[in-house]
Amino acid sequence: MPVATVAPARRAAYDVLLAEAATRGPFDVTAATAAGFASLQERDRALAYELVVGTIKRRNSLDRVIAAFSSAASKRLPPEVRESLRLGAFQVLYLDRVPAHAAVFEAVELCKGQGRRTGSFVNAVLRRVAREGRAELARLSAGDSTEALAVRESHPDWLVALWSAELGRPVAEALMAADNLPAERCVRVNRLRATVAEAQAALAAGGITARPAATAGEQPATPDALLIDGGPLESSAAFADGLVTPQSRASQLVALVAAGALEAGGAGRVADLCAAPGGKASQLAALLPAARIDAVDDDPRRAAALRANLDRLGAADRVAVVERDVLELGADPALQGAYEAVLLDAPCSGLGTLASRADLRWRRRPVDVARLAALQERLLAGAGALVAPSGSLTYSVCTLTRAETLEVIERFLGRPAAGGGAPPNAASWELDDLGAAMPRYRHPANGAFVQTLPSRDATSGFFIARLRRVT
């Protein structure tokens, strides 16, 4: 049977997996699948997406099971063979609705171009996975060791050890289990262009159902959030016309915290630092119609994407794009103390977004956390220099590591923190008590901060702090 007879969904998924394997930097699964799956029927598109995301997320579990039935380690195999084995094993081990014989047969067909012996090898390994794989996975996953949990929830050993040490084993296990679930599909209604009801109607016209994130009778922390289901958002008129934009509830919460620091009416000068692609900047424009908002990003390509997004959302005339480095901005005497509110959504390890960024757990290394925490400290110092007396500084990251959250703030405030000294900021700043206003998200180590957990809140994992300059 020629390769062309492989089911369209599996062929498309395989091609995307090969592209991911060949990519050294971050891989945009959403963009790759949007392009690679455009010709598929809706049912095939959904299956192909599940195959791609699941195969990438479950890589550690799959590789360990495959290794039990193969004389060759997965990493040493040609990419075409390795990805066909992973794709076939994922279907056999995790998708009950896919017949094992179909998964094995098509995995062999996908790599037939590598030679007859290769096809025989893939067939032999996957047939054993079909017969014995689930028992082997259960054996490898049994117990409470770091290695067992890394196989069970398919995370790298170092991250299992880090989460267990910092969050405690029960929270760590729940968090990693949530990382393997489908990410929330959430949009923010753009109040510059539509009401919630208008956005829902426009989405429905494009075949996308949308419901408020809050249940009936519940006061929503993010009132403009809609959870969606259906076809690709980016091909809908509601998206193209700027009525909605994809943004997790946790991300929306960040802008709400930053905007909430201003007095009623929202007048004043506001800076959104590291602002691309513009979700929070456009949200601030909707929340603070009387404010003067600067969206700062020093990368020309990111700044171009920021401008395009602001234009789509009708916020281009409300937000000025500033192409300057944050540290350079903070050192400019003309801008020091110039802003009533500053938001720094800092570059981070992104470890709170593993449900939506399937490949990130395999691309991050322990050294990245320390490197990014050092950058965050410098950026926070630069951001702080921009804040006017009595003004606010909101700091957020989409990760949960102690080094990038608590310790960054501790050092900025001049309080003791493991591993180094601190600048003399203690007399100049105080913490706003965010936990008092949002007790659901209160941080367990310091109630003035808030933290969203994917396992508890079914959204991205974010840390948010808001500081007030008192002198």
Side-chain angles (χ1 to χ4, degrees):
M1 181 181 289
V3 172
T5 61
V6 172
R10 292 187 183 91
R11 160 57 70 182
Y14 178 69
D15 289 343
V16 172
L17 289 170
L18 286 177
E20 190 271 336
T23 303
R24 291 186 177 273
F27 184 73
D28 190 336
V29 171
T30 301
T33 53
F37 300 169
S39 62
L40 296 179
Q41 298 294 320
E42 184 173 345
R43 182 177 178 181
D44 283 341
R45 188 186 304 122
L47 174 59
Y49 186 83
E50 184 178 14
L51 293 176
V52 168
V53 172
T55 300
I56 294 174
K57 287 185 177 183
R58 289 290 184 180
R59 182 171 295 167
N60 191 36
S61 309
L62 300 173
D63 285 355
R64 291 296 302 277
V65 172
I66 290 167
F69 304 121
S70 167
S71 58
S74 292
K75 292 181 179 179
R76 296 182 179 180
L77 294 170
E80 294 82 1
V81 178
R82 183 176 64 242
E83 298 308 323
S84 68
L85 281 170
R86 286 171 171 169
L87 180 59
F90 174 73
Q91 295 171 83
V92 168
L93 296 174
Y94 293 101
L95 293 187
D96 290 333
R97 69 182 185 276
V98 176
H101 65 85
V104 173
F105 175 79
E106 294 200 354
V108 173
E109 292 297 310
L110 285 168
C111 64
K112 266 194 171 178
Q114 302 300 305
R116 181 175 296 179
R117 291 181 62 186
T118 297
S120 297
F121 168 74
V122 170
N123 181 63
V125 172
L126 288 181
R127 283 169 67 89
R128 288 200 66 187
V129 171
R131 291 195 308 268
E132 308 168 52
R134 293 194 178 187
E136 181 64 15
L137 179 59
R139 185 187 71 78
L140 293 168
S141 302
D144 295 325
S145 69
T146 295
E147 185 178 17
L149 184 53
V151 173
R152 187 160 66 245
E153 299 301 346
S154 195
H155 282 62
D157 287 8
W158 73 266
L159 187 54
V160 173
L162 179 67
W163 284 156
S164 298
E166 295 193 351
L167 304 174
R169 181 55 69 95
V171 174
E173 288 198 48
L175 174 62
M176 289 184 282
D179 290 341
N180 291 323
L181 296 175
E184 68 169 348
R185 291 190 68 196
C186 186
V187 297
R188 174 178 58 82
V189 176
N190 176 23
R191 295 286 187 164
L192 297 175
R193 293 240 163 117
T195 64
V196 170
E198 288 168 343
Q200 285 180 289
L203 288 165
I208 299 173
T209 59
R211 60 181 176 83
T215 57
E218 180 183 2
Q219 182 64 33
T222 50
D224 295 331
L226 293 175
L227 301 178
I228 64 170
D229 189 32
L233 174 69
E234 289 74 11
S235 62
S236 70
F239 175 85
D241 294 340
L243 277 60
V244 297
T245 196
Q247 191 174 349
S248 75
R249 285 174 291 149
S251 176
Q252 294 181 45
L253 191 64
V254 171
L256 287 165
V257 167
L262 293 180
E263 299 292 336
R269 196 171 179 186
V270 177
D272 178 11
L273 309 179
C274 308
K280 298 179 186 69
S282 59
Q283 185 179 0
L284 289 171
L287 293 168
L288 303 171
R292 296 170 54 204
I293 301 171
D294 291 338
V296 180
D297 205 291
D298 66 339
D299 183 276
R301 287 180 297 179
R302 288 174 57 84
L306 171 60
R307 288 189 176 91
N309 212 16
L310 292 173
D311 186 59
R312 178 178 66 85
L313 296 169
D317 61 340
R318 296 170 181 258
V319 179
V321 176
V322 179
E323 289 191 51
R324 292 182 67 181
D325 179 82
V326 172
L327 300 181
E328 174 192 313
L329 215 64
D332 186 341
L335 293 174
Q336 290 175 351
Y339 293 91
E340 281 70 36
V342 172
L343 166 59
L344 173 63
D345 185 42
C348 71
S349 62
L351 295 174
T353 66
L354 299 187
S356 59
R357 300 170 69 182
D359 66 315
L360 187 60
R361 70 187 75 182
W362 311 123
R363 298 186 185 276
R364 281 286 177 235
R365 299 291 181 267
V367 67
D368 294 335
V369 174
R371 174 180 58 82
L372 287 161
L375 172 62
Q376 291 152 8
E377 289 182 34
R378 296 195 300 273
L379 292 173
L380 191 58
L386 300 172
V387 180
S390 301
S392 70
L393 171 58
T394 300
Y395 172 79
S396 67
V397 283
C398 56
T399 190
L400 306 172
T401 66
R402 182 179 176 88
E404 299 175 84
T405 58
L406 298 170
E407 292 181 6
V408 169
I409 299 297
E410 287 169 353
R411 288 193 177 94
F412 179 78
L413 294 174
R415 295 172 183 166
N425 289 319
S428 300
W429 300 88
E430 64 182 20
L431 292 172
D432 282 352
D433 190 355
L434 300 179
M438 293 175 281
R440 173 185 177 87
Y441 305 120
R442 186 190 300 271
H443 197 290
N446 186 326
F449 307 137
V450 294
Q451 173 181 269
T452 57
L453 288 173
S455 49
R456 181 192 63 200
D457 305 313
T459 187
S460 305
F462 264 80
F463 170 90
I464 312 171
R466 193 172 71 201
L467 301 90
R468 183 84 50 181
R469 182 178 170 185
V470 294
T471 59

